[in-house]
Amino acid sequence: MNTKPIDFSKFSSIRIGPVVDVALIENDIVPKERTILGAANNVLISPTPPPLMILSKEYDFIRLEDDGLHIGAATPGGRVVSFCKKNDIAHFEYLSKLPGTLGGMLKMNAGLKEYEIFNHLIAIRTMSGWIPKEDIEYGYRKTSINEVIFEALFEAEKGYSTERYEMFNQMRSNQPHEPSAGSCFKNPKGDYAGRLIEAVGLRGHRIGAMAFSEVHANFLVNMGGGTYEDALTLINEAQVRVKREFNIDLQCEVILIK
Ligand SMILES: Cc1cc2nc3c(=O)[nH]c(=O)nc-3n(C[C@H](O)[C@H](O)[C@H](O)COP(=O)(O)OP(=O)(O)OC[C@H]3O[C@@H](n4cnc5c(N)ncnc54)[C@H](O)[C@@H]3O)c2cc1C
């Protein structure tokens, strides 16, 4: 089994985490008892994480075939958008500003508003073989997938749209520029996590170098040298205050790797 050292304080989007030897998945051989990561855009990694693994470069591919669009799970979203633009394929424009790999996006059913990665999915491939979408449970930022995804097959409908691409770019204009892991909490039904965090006085609240952003309160940002402990303290504080004042349980969207 090949491994590669990764410094998560540089690799992860929130710039937190230790240097760890991470196992590489090659030739569809998945090492046992390891946690899979993609590009670490939706995770908060503790100073003592469990053994980790990532897909090797062989899973970074995209091919148009007779049955649809085959995309390797290590393929970054930006690459998918470029391919779709070049080949005039619809429905992937929103991935341009959604950082991460296809595997992470599928596991999280990532998306923007009503546009979600499961919308045009046909099947995923794991160690168990091809699994049709109908056999997977999925919803807002969650799926029942509990295996490593190697690749996925999508509908390849004609019609790349520059207008949609611009619209998605516009939607991103209210996001902070400091390192983060995207939205910290899921939006509770009929409400917004950002609104609730603001309402309990935590917008801009800072502990050490971690803060709920002034720009968008649901983004937990690293102002430089922030720690896992400070991030956890803020997450806990928001959950306690929102529960106390609104009787709502804020659920983490960011995944704690501990
Ligand atoms: C600035 C910013 C903006 C963001 N905006 C959005 C947004 O608008 N909408 C949205 O949905 N998300 C958003 N995110 C979150 C993030 O982009 C998505 O969750 C993305 O899918 C993460 O992909 P990743 O490869 O980085 O996954 P990781 O963060 O590495 O992993 C996420 C989860 O997926 C699992 N996973 C990763 N690869 C695989 C695989 N091959 N097989 C099985 N499981 C796997 C991991 O175990 C983990 O549970 C944002 C993040 C940032 C930093």
Side-chain angles (χ1 to χ4, degrees):
M1 178 182 74
N2 288 317
T3 62
K4 126 174 177 188
I6 295 185
D7 181 352
F8 283 100
S9 71
K10 298 200 171 83
F11 182 76
S12 71
S13 60
I14 199 165
R15 305 281 185 268
I16 291 177
V19 181
V20 176
D21 271 328
V22 177
L24 282 178
I25 300 173
E26 294 166 308
N27 304 315
D28 292 357
I29 296 166
V30 177
K32 288 206 168 47
E33 312 285 324
R34 283 184 179 258
T35 301
I36 177 76
L37 286 184
N41 286 284
N42 203 49
V43 290
L44 189 52
I45 299 176
S46 89
T48 52
L52 301 172
M53 59 186 165
I54 56 170
L55 293 168
S56 66
K57 282 281 163 210
E58 76 186 83
Y59 299 94
D60 180 354
F61 65 83
I62 173 158
R63 287 190 303 262
L64 195 50
E65 294 181 15
D66 289 346
D67 55 351
L69 194 59
H70 285 253
I71 310 177
T75 312
R79 217 179 133 211
V80 177
V81 179
S82 311
F83 184 93
C84 291
K85 185 176 181 188
K86 199 165 148 216
N87 293 278
D88 190 29
I89 297 168
H91 307 309
F92 292 90
E93 298 88 350
Y94 67 96
L95 295 188
S96 70
K97 293 286 177 221
L98 217 156
T101 60
L102 182 75
M105 289 174 197
L106 283 164
K107 166 71 186 172
M108 300 304 299
N109 189 18
L112 270 184
K113 310 248 171 190
E114 69 271 34
Y115 301 86
E116 291 179 339
I117 195 77
F118 262 64
N119 290 4
H120 299 276
L121 178 72
I122 297 173
I124 62 169
R125 189 171 70 79
T126 70
M127 286 233 297
S128 313
W130 282 101
I131 305 171
K133 172 168 139 179
E134 295 68 42
D135 292 355
I136 305 169
E137 283 170 36
Y138 60 95
Y140 166 57
R141 303 292 173 271
K142 64 171 182 201
T143 65
S144 59
I145 300 168
N146 57 12
E147 287 184 292
V148 173
I149 305 157
F150 296 144
E151 70 172 300
L153 175 63
F154 291 91
E155 295 158 9
E157 230 175 80
K158 281 275 169 212
Y160 177 85
S161 159
T162 308
E163 290 74 44
R164 267 202 301 272
Y165 176 84
E166 301 292 345
M167 179 184 82
F168 292 123
N169 275 0
Q170 195 51 40
M171 281 183 192
R172 300 267 105 173
S173 54
N174 73 337
Q175 287 194 351
H177 297 297
E178 294 87 6
S180 76
S183 299
C184 183
F185 298 106
K186 296 183 183 190
N187 288 323
K189 255 202 171 67
D191 211 331
Y192 292 97
R195 188 196 77 78
L196 293 165
I197 294 168
E198 206 172 323
V200 298
L202 288 178
R203 176 174 170 177
H205 187 73
R206 180 170 173 165
I207 295 182
M210 298 305 296
F212 285 116
S213 172
E214 286 281 2
V215 180
H216 190 315
N218 195 25
F219 275 66
L220 183 58
V221 291
N222 186 345
M223 315 296 279
T227 66
Y228 178 79
E229 287 71 24
D230 290 342
L232 277 197
T233 307
L234 279 169
I235 288 173
N236 188 45
E237 185 66 29
Q239 286 173 324
V240 168
R241 287 198 198 186
V242 169
K243 179 71 179 172
R244 197 170 54 213
E245 293 190 30
F246 296 98
N247 197 26
I248 293 175
D249 291 304
L250 275 185
Q251 273 182 28
C252 272
E253 180 166 327
V254 58
I255 295 163
L256 306 182
I257 307 287
K258 56 184 182 184

